[in-house]
Amino acid sequence: WPTWAALATTPGTRAVRDRVGKNLGDMADMKITDLRPTILRQWQTHLREGRPWVTGCTGLAPNTISSWWTQLSGCLHMAVTDELLLVNPCSKIPGPGAASEPLDTRTLPTLDQIREAVQHADATGRDTLATMIILAVSTGMRPGEVGGLRWKNVDRKAGVIHVVEQTVQRPAKGSDGWGPLKTRSSRRQVPVPPETMNRLRRHRLMHPAAADDAMFRTPTGRLWSSDRINHRSEERRVGKECRSR
């Protein structure tokens, strides 16, 4: 696994591979030639229902499970290429792919829940979080893209935002916290409703920053990663549910 992690071409991918490497469970101490479909199915179950090696874990989000499975399968495919294995054992069982399961609309926040989350954030002195929620909901931008925005990316006259980068989950030592988007097609211009643009204008008046600086920073001055944004938003929306990371 260390070889697979070291071959990552971006800080974000390296961070994911490092995280998966720490969550291989029983596979961590096994020889790669001893991996069997039953072991992989068990690993899927642990990720979905709760990892025994993480205290209090009640299961990961479907997208996280899918991402981790993809990394494991990629590592084992490399082992096949290197002639350490004849067949990738991941190919023998269905993957957990989040996209393979129909979306349960009941898990999506309602407009009332979104309004409540924004109002609560504003009322408790977290106007930055409220503004990020409004921006994400009104434009469809991903959390990491919202966290990675700089003021120079906003074109108020044209009413658009230029999405050109995002924050990385675990920036490397000495990194500024920004990283490339996942694909070329992720680079785009996003129309911004006038009400949202006015909210951004008010946000900048409350939190002055240079054009090259981040639009949003945490109270400690750090960039907002997608994990942090998701955690804060989910924390308020479901208040009673736990999202394990």
Side-chain angles (χ1 to χ4, degrees):
W1 191 267
T3 301
W4 174 245
L7 289 174
T9 57
T10 67
T13 301
R14 177 59 190 262
V16 173
R17 292 181 183 179
D18 286 343
R19 199 172 307 134
V20 177
K22 296 176 181 178
N23 284 277
L24 292 174
D26 294 337
M27 296 187 292
D29 298 320
M30 294 180 64
K31 293 181 179 179
I32 197 170
T33 52
D34 290 338
L35 290 179
R36 297 292 182 269
T38 53
I39 296 170
L40 299 180
R41 290 192 194 95
Q42 184 183 52
W43 190 63
Q44 286 186 6
T45 300
H46 287 329
L47 298 186
R48 184 173 61 251
E49 299 179 0
R51 294 163 290 168
W53 58 89
V54 177
T55 303
C57 176
T58 57
L60 299 172
N63 282 336
T64 301
I65 298 173
S66 179
S67 173
W68 288 18
W69 179 261
T70 298
Q71 291 300 329
L72 177 62
S73 181
C75 178
L76 297 179
H77 177 75
M78 180 180 70
V80 173
T81 302
D82 291 345
E83 299 182 352
L84 298 176
L85 292 174
L86 292 176
V87 179
N88 182 345
C90 287
S91 67
K92 296 185 178 182
I93 61 175
S100 64
E101 300 179 2
L103 176 65
D104 185 351
T105 56
R106 294 173 298 178
T107 65
L108 298 176
T110 65
L111 287 176
D112 286 341
Q113 288 174 322
I114 293 171
R115 291 192 189 97
E116 182 184 356
V118 170
Q119 291 169 0
H120 179 78
D122 274 333
T124 54
R126 294 181 290 177
D127 61 282
T128 294
L129 178 61
T131 303
M132 288 192 295
I133 294 174
I134 291 172
L135 180 59
V137 171
S138 63
T139 63
M141 292 175 61
R142 300 179 180 90
E145 295 171 345
V146 171
L149 285 174
R150 306 179 198 242
W151 284 110
K152 67 180 182 181
N153 301 137
V154 181
D155 187 337
R156 288 178 56 190
K157 290 185 179 179
V160 299
I161 282 177
H162 299 274
V163 181
V164 297
E165 57 191 340
Q166 64 182 349
T167 51
V168 296
Q169 296 295 355
R170 296 171 184 264
K173 188 175 182 180
S175 167
D176 58 9
W178 277 280
L181 297 169
K182 289 187 176 181
T183 64
R184 288 186 179 182
S185 60
S186 296
R187 294 178 65 95
R188 62 198 187 280
Q189 289 184 9
V190 179
V192 181
E195 298 83 358
T196 302
M197 194 64 81
N198 287 335
R199 174 82 189 205
L200 295 179
R201 181 182 59 80
R202 293 195 298 272
H203 178 76
R204 192 172 192 182
L205 290 174
M206 295 174 64
H207 306 276
D212 198 45
D213 198 8
M215 291 173 61
F216 308 111
R217 287 193 179 275
T218 68
T220 57
R222 300 169 61 188
L223 292 179
W224 283 85
S225 67
S226 60
D227 272 358
R228 188 174 288 114
I229 296 172
N230 281 330
H231 176 71
R232 294 301 181 191
S233 301
E234 191 79 1
E235 185 181 64
R236 174 58 194 163
R237 180 172 75 83
V238 257
K240 319 117 188 180
E241 297 179 13
C242 171
R243 185 174 185 172
S244 252
R245 292 198 178 274

